[in-house]
Amino acid sequence: MLRDGKPVVFKAYGQRDIENAKAMRTDTIFRIASMTKALTTVAAMILYEEGRFLLKDPVARYLPAFASQQVALAQGGTEKPRRPLTIHDLLTHTAGMSYGPGPAKAAYDAAGMEDWYLVGNDETLAQWTDRFAALPLQSQPGEQFIYGYATDVLGRLVEVVSGQSLDAFIKERITDPLRMPDTGFAVPPEKVERLANVYGLEGGQLKLMETSATSDFVNGPHKLMSGGAGMVSTAGDYTRFLQMLLNRGELDGMRILAPHTVALMTADHLGPKSGGDADGFGLGFWVNVRRGGFKELGSEGAFGWGSAYFPQYTVDPKERLVILFMTQLRPAGNSTLHLRVRGLTYQALIK
């Protein structure tokens, strides 16, 4: 946890490898799954600031494979989109792209699009995007909040517009300038020792699910740069990224985004259609519009998201606060620890 840019609590608890009694460390590397989305969103907004596109531009202008996409109907069959799919739709998860569920589920299943995890795919992001574009949308563009592959498509758009691979662009424009050396799309050999095991909570018991020896982040094809769920990071690295957003786009003299861009990202774009922990959704994460939006402790204007491996982050401009909880737990059973960490933090604030 940081307040006013200074660490309040930065501690490691438990073990990163229970079987070998290796303690969790503050520099432990975690798979961050959907917390990747914020990085890909910032990458896109960097290009937006450069005037490379408008948010209302059709996706097909940059990714022609989406030009003939259809929309699946609940009763079967498809229809044409009522309006073009836009970049804004990708940023707000209103693009009709799920992680499988919906009226196009059979088509998704047949194409192997059944899960958020793409790191093990033996294909490039360009190849995957072309395959995905051949599938129908799960809803009309802009009509529903549907959480899914939209940020992976956004990552491909970053590649096409920038002329760089997604990993290279994020490294050059975000993680290197912010001094986030352990954040990327793979774990190099010299850092494997720091990668935490993944455990699952089943029947109240922890079960070993993945080690570095079985991890695609270490031994996989390293071909598909998943902008939606494909990165690793550390608590220290990711906190620097979040502090940059709290500082309205700047950290330690390095400006990544303009203040007005961060303000746009952290404004509510969807209102009642929003999905996530709060009552609004910005560009890349939920936003808390009113104090009761969480239905838990929290301030107006706070924003954040989480990860399939159970981490959770909250950035609160009003309280000048960054809350980050990191772990590797999938499935998490009925645990609410990640949310209780946020509640404990807020109830500890006296001034």
Side-chain angles (χ1 to χ4, degrees):
M1 181 177 73
L2 300 181
R3 199 174 197 201
D4 294 320
K6 298 177 182 179
V8 177
V9 177
F10 183 39
K11 293 183 178 180
Y13 301 88
Q15 296 177 312
R16 71 183 189 275
D17 181 345
I18 296 172
E19 289 70 26
N20 293 294
K22 294 181 179 178
M24 191 69 76
R25 298 172 9 182
T26 54
D27 67 347
T28 292
I29 296 172
F30 300 88
R31 305 152 190 80
I32 61 171
S34 286
M35 285 164 51
T36 303
K37 290 179 170 68
L39 286 145
T40 302
T41 299
V42 168
M45 297 308 289
I46 290 171
L47 294 168
Y48 170 69
E49 283 194 345
E50 293 177 352
R52 312 291 279 279
F53 53 78
L54 296 177
L55 302 188
K56 63 182 179 182
D57 281 351
V59 172
R61 181 176 298 175
Y62 308 93
L63 304 176
F66 287 93
S68 58
Q69 200 165 37
Q70 295 287 297
V71 179
L73 298 171
Q75 64 271 28
T78 61
E79 65 180 3
K80 291 182 179 180
R82 298 187 190 118
R83 67 156 174 80
L85 179 71
T86 68
I87 296 171
H88 186 267
D89 294 329
L90 297 178
L91 288 161
T92 56
H93 290 286
T94 56
M97 300 173 179
S98 76
Y99 280 135
K105 184 179 187 308
Y108 270 55
D109 289 351
M113 309 286 184
E114 302 167 290
D115 187 65
W116 56 266
Y117 188 85
L118 302 176
V119 177
N121 286 33
D122 189 18
E123 61 185 332
T124 64
L125 180 56
Q127 292 168 331
W128 176 89
T129 303
D130 284 346
R131 287 201 306 115
F132 182 67
L135 304 178
L137 298 176
Q138 303 279 17
S139 73
Q140 286 288 339
E143 290 194 356
Q144 296 182 49
F145 179 91
I146 298 178
Y147 192 61
Y149 293 119
T151 315
D152 290 293
V153 175
L154 184 70
R156 176 57 185 157
L157 184 136
V158 169
E159 291 189 332
V160 169
V161 172
S162 70
Q164 295 179 270
S165 63
L166 182 61
D167 58 334
F169 186 87
I170 287 177
K171 185 176 189 299
E172 179 182 319
R173 303 298 295 274
I174 302 175
T175 58
D176 277 0
L178 292 179
R179 301 201 306 275
M180 299 167 60
D182 295 323
T183 302
F185 287 86
V187 180
E190 67 273 16
K191 298 181 180 182
V192 168
E193 169 67 17
R194 288 195 280 136
L195 180 66
N197 288 346
V198 179
Y199 294 89
L201 192 59
E202 297 182 343
Q205 300 295 317
L206 284 178
K207 178 182 177 182
L208 179 63
M209 307 300 284
E210 183 183 302
T211 68
S212 59
T214 59
S215 175
D216 289 322
F217 288 98
V218 177
N219 303 306
H222 303 314
K223 289 175 68 174
L224 200 162
M225 305 303 154
S226 170
M231 296 185 75
V232 297
S233 190
T234 62
D237 274 14
Y238 206 83
T239 300
R240 289 186 60 78
F241 174 72
L242 296 176
Q243 187 67 44
M244 177 273 294
L245 291 173
L246 179 60
N247 293 350
R248 302 195 305 162
E250 177 273 335
L251 183 66
D252 295 341
M254 183 60 62
R255 181 157 294 283
I256 305 299
L257 292 172
H260 275 286
T261 303
V262 178
L264 180 66
M265 294 173 66
T266 56
D268 178 27
H269 290 243
L270 298 184
K273 289 188 292 189
S274 299
D277 285 350
D279 58 348
F281 197 84
L283 304 181
F285 26 65
W286 54 253
V287 296
N288 198 47
V289 180
R290 58 188 178 86
R291 184 176 291 274
F294 275 139
K295 299 182 176 61
E296 307 285 352
L297 289 171
S299 303
E300 300 93 338
F303 59 94
W305 202 252
S307 157
Y309 294 105
F310 206 53
Q312 181 86 197
Y313 69 88
T314 299
V315 180
D316 188 330
K318 186 174 181 179
E319 293 290 349
R320 313 173 312 283
L321 180 68
V322 171
I323 306 168
L324 176 65
F325 171 78
M326 297 283 264
T327 187
Q328 300 282 258
L329 186 65
R330 182 174 185 254
N334 295 319
S335 178
T336 58
L337 178 62
H338 60 325
L339 299 177
R340 286 186 283 133
V341 165
R342 185 172 67 202
L344 285 168
T345 302
Y346 275 108
Q347 58 87 18
L349 296 176
I350 305 300
K351 60 180 180 178

